[in-house]
Amino acid sequence: MSRRVKELELDELWTFVGRKRRKVWLWLAVERYSRRLVAWVLGSRGRATARRLWQALPPPYRTGAWYHTDE
């Protein structure tokens, strides 16, 4: 039985919360083959929110996984 490498697609999108002046980013980590949502966070588009997404990942996805982004 072959074991499939864990692959996550990481993406972000923005939306407004309350007022149009309040832009919020939704960061997602989606398992590539099953399309299962693994983790998500709300925040800015900065490094601190990226760190929060990393911390939200279950430990098995923090090592030995491939990550795909749109950049």
Side-chain angles (χ1 to χ4, degrees):
M1 178 178 195
S2 70
R3 233 175 110 178
R4 185 174 284 182
V5 174
K6 293 182 289 270
E7 292 187 57
L8 292 180
E9 294 182 17
L10 307 176
D11 206 357
E12 80 282 341
L13 57 108
W14 60 267
T15 187
F16 297 109
V17 175
R19 296 180 255 168
K20 288 196 174 186
R21 286 180 275 159
R22 176 116 195 261
K23 187 187 280 189
V24 175
W25 291 85
L26 170 62
W27 292 53
L28 301 169
V30 178
E31 201 170 63
R32 190 168 212 185
Y33 295 105
S34 69
R35 305 308 299 161
R36 183 175 73 99
L37 183 63
V38 174
W40 63 273
V41 294
L42 291 174
S44 69
R45 199 171 186 208
R47 188 175 286 178
T49 308
R51 283 190 188 116
R52 287 185 26 239
L53 179 64
W54 179 258
Q55 292 168 351
L57 289 174
Y61 290 96
R62 292 188 200 169
T63 59
W66 288 75
Y67 306 98
H68 303 274
T69 66
D70 51 359
E71 282 193 31

